[in-house]
Amino acid sequence: MNYGMIRVAAASLKLKVANPSYNKEKIKKAIDKAVNENVRVLVTPELAITGATCGDLFYTQPLQNAARDALLEIAAYTADKNIVLFVGVPVAAMGRLYNCAAVISDGEINEFVAKKTASPAGVFAACEEDIFAETYQTTITTESVYRICEGVMVGVEIGEDFGVTNPPSTQLALGGANIIVNLSAEAELVARAKYRRDLVKVQSARGICAYVYAGASVFESTTDTVCSGATLVAENGDIIAEGERFARESVLTIADVDYEKLNTLRQKDANFALSDEFCDYDIELENEYNDLAYRPVEAHPFVPEDAAACRERCEEVFAIQAAGLAKRLEHIGSKGCVIGISGGLDSTLALLVSVQAMKLLGKPMSDIMGITMPGFGTTDRTYNNALDLMKSLGVTVREISIKDACLQHMKDIDHDPAVKDVTYENMQARERTQILFDMANKHGYLLVGTGDLSELAMGWCTFSGDNMSMYGVNGSVPKTLVRYLVRYVADISDEKTRAILLDILDTPVSPELLPPDEDGKIAQKTEDNIGPYELHDFFIYNFVRFGYTKEKLQKLAEKAFDGVYDKFTINRWLGVFFKRFFISQFKRSCMTDGAKVGSVSLSPRGDWTMPSDASFEDFI
């Protein structure tokens, strides 16, 4: 199974300038290594057969003849190798010389793609239209899309082509190419590396495609020119593989490109419309298997791995949450807000966001009414943390026990308090929600909801209970990110508040609807019931954004969580995820307004529309 992946490689080769006989052997070795690694698309640098810095030697017959012989030998070498090779070569045709990429597979030169922008010193002609190269009995073109296998189409641009105002890759992407390859030989300059990385990332994001960049190595440096051998593979705005620059040997940078993901993103982008301007060229490689060996997989896709980037993400998300809440409070003319404070992560984040919103509005913290509502499962730890946090932040503190009201309610509906079933649990959640709504009405306040994205996805909330509010600040924030947001605020808080927040972070996630254990500690732990949130957030991100199959989610998770969870554990909770995600849509269909903070949201108002009665059988 290929899991919607295809393996690509960018080569930077230890070449000799103006020595095709030597260079062809290096290219053949790169082919061997690529084939051994099950690479399907191999890209060499610009003019790799001759070297890119030959100057006026390109006009000489000995070099042109040697390049032709080397190219024909390289083409023959690919026979029966199940790989498509893009190799740089000068091609003479119609009395002119063109800087080309030869498109080679199964022993044949399929076509040449010529560079569109003018080369330095005017050595090569700019190609304006298709030309027949009689020597090779094939065409030189400037824009063509090659169908490599089902779901994979490749377009080619050369060197500086991708830096112009309207690069060929833009039109190639609109012509169907979901992989763009660039054969380059640009000189290295100060700050050029960062500019190149940014350009590759932007091109892959703009075209919703993968971008494979192969640069000439340091061995092509000559006279005033120094090359670095940059090799990059980007996918939809992210660098997924990068080779060493200034290496003293040939470099082969390999990556597994998720073409299925790219195709899905294109389908979901209403502004991306394919044109029919390009003639597709079918190459038809076999791509039946991929082990994801060269595929980076993030275990926590909602949280950047880099500490600085993570802090920046938290700062931005927190600002969006607070700004959204401040706008709603201002719009309705609310006197303040009401929040149920449990001493858990979600209500803590909602409280912190509310405090920031009040700062934005210039209102006192006392206009926030924090209400803690101890029930049958409340532990001393969460109860004390709830009170301590509210006092530390200076909000108005209210305590309303729900025990007597719940006992009366159980008596009214003839429910035995000894039966700790779903009625026993949900009744407490609904009682708390009723108190919060009524207190909001009484004081003219806005009820701020606390439930997060992960709970909505898994249906781990009580219908007409904690999934109801007047504005939900955490509705598009997954549980894994909630932790980092609380930690972010802890790091910028005073010592007293920080200590409370750190203890909350260390508390097991629980709805606390069942009595504590005999030691007074939390007995009902959410992740024991529905599985680890870090796994579910991984599933949520990849299923909602890219529509992956269960098999693909399983394989990706096995790689992402290698050494953390075995494949049987992943499979178990993946099954739970799909079932709970599907049967819980009715809870999401009526979710309240709340700020959207990221690319994944389950709001039924345009982000995730799904029938509440959809079957999950074909998904598991």
Side-chain angles (χ1 to χ4, degrees), residues 245-469:
R245 291 187 301 138
F246 303 107
R248 301 306 300 173
E249 296 293 336
S250 294
V251 172
L252 192 67
T253 299
I254 304 174
D256 290 322
V257 167
D258 192 340
Y259 66 85
E260 183 178 78
K261 163 184 155 182
L262 296 170
N263 293 341
T264 299
L265 289 174
R266 286 182 171 187
Q267 292 168 13
K268 296 172 76 171
D269 189 335
N271 296 313
F272 191 94
L274 295 177
S275 68
D276 57 0
E277 295 180 6
F278 299 108
C279 176
D280 297 333
Y281 195 112
D282 288 319
I283 293 180
E284 298 183 358
L285 299 178
E286 290 184 8
N287 186 41
E288 300 301 318
Y289 176 74
N290 193 304
D291 60 4
L292 276 61
Y294 291 96
R295 178 69 187 181
V297 183
E298 294 181 75
H300 305 106
F302 291 106
V303 183
E305 292 183 4
D306 178 73
C310 182
R311 181 183 174 84
E312 183 179 348
R313 173 76 57 84
C314 289
E315 184 177 4
E316 187 171 15
V317 170
F318 192 67
I320 293 171
Q321 290 177 282
L325 176 57
K327 166 62 178 175
R328 178 55 58 89
L329 288 166
E330 190 173 47
H331 176 71
I332 65 176
S334 177
K335 296 178 182 178
C337 54
V338 169
I339 313 172
I341 307 299
S342 67
L345 276 174
D346 291 342
S347 66
T348 294
L349 179 58
L351 178 57
L352 297 172
V353 169
S354 299
V355 167
Q356 183 62 21
M358 289 302 179
K359 290 179 181 178
L360 293 175
L361 295 172
K363 296 170 70 70
M365 297 306 113
S366 57
D367 283 352
I368 300 172
M369 182 181 294
I371 306 178
T372 185
M373 295 165 283
F376 304 121
T378 303
T379 60
D380 290 343
R381 183 179 188 179
T382 55
Y383 171 74
N384 289 327
N385 276 338
L387 290 175
D388 291 344
L389 182 62
M390 288 188 285
K391 292 174 183 176
S392 177
L393 295 172
V395 307
T396 298
V397 181
R398 290 293 305 269
E399 179 178 339
I400 302 174
S401 173
I402 64 169
K403 293 179 182 178
D404 290 343
C406 288
L407 288 170
Q408 180 61 49
H409 184 63
M410 283 189 278
K411 181 179 179 181
D412 293 342
I413 65 172
D414 195 24
H415 184 81
D416 184 354
V419 179
K420 309 295 193 294
D421 59 3
V422 68
T423 302
Y424 178 90
E425 293 187 41
N426 286 348
M427 166 194 59
Q428 296 175 69
R430 293 192 180 103
E431 177 60 28
R432 287 180 170 129
T433 301
Q434 175 177 262
I435 291 171
L436 293 171
F437 268 108
D438 291 346
M439 289 294 281
N441 292 156
K442 178 180 178 180
H443 295 277
Y445 282 7
L446 179 80
L447 170 55
V448 177
T450 63
D452 64 48
L453 174 71
S454 307
E455 291 179 343
L456 284 164
M458 300 299 291
W460 194 250
C461 52
T462 300
F463 190 72
S464 293
D466 54 312
N467 79 320
M468 291 287 137
S469 66

Side-chain angles (χ1 to χ4, degrees), residues 92-108:
M94 302 296 289
R96 309 195 77 180
L97 191 63
Y98 297 94
N99 181 346
C100 292
V103 185
I104 298 172
S105 65
D106 197 22
E108 300 289 336

Side-chain angles (χ1 to χ4, degrees), residues 115-117 156-170 180-186 192-193 195-204 206 211-214 232:
K115 188 173 184 175
K116 294 186 70 174
T117 56
V156 186
E157 61 185 1
I158 301 175
E160 296 91 342
D161 280 352
F162 84 139
V164 300
T165 304
N166 184 22
S169 52
T170 299
I180 305 294
V181 302
N182 187 320
L183 296 74
S184 182
E186 67 177 355
R192 177 64 62 83
Y195 176 74
R196 180 192 303 116
R197 288 182 97 256
D198 290 345
L199 203 55
V200 167
K201 288 166 66 175
V202 167
Q203 285 299 97
S204 70
R206 181 185 292 135
Y211 200 99
V212 186
Y213 180 97
L232 299 160

Side-chain angles (χ1 to χ4, degrees), residues 452 454-455 457-460 479-480 483 508-511 524-540 561 564-565 568-578 580-581:
D452 64 48
S454 307
E455 291 179 343
M458 300 299 291
W460 194 250
K479 187 74 78 177
T480 48
R483 286 190 170 276
V509 178
S510 172
Q524 184 186 23
K525 297 179 181 178
T526 298
E527 292 180 297
D528 289 346
N529 288 277
I530 64 171
Y533 270 120
E534 63 176 350
L535 273 180
H536 290 311
D537 283 357
F538 180 87
F539 300 148
I540 292 165
F561 295 98
V564 181
Y565 305 106
F568 303 104
T569 300
I570 292 170
N571 184 262
R572 174 194 175 192
W573 296 123
L574 183 52
V576 170
F577 163 75
F578 270 113
R580 292 195 66 95
F581 185 84

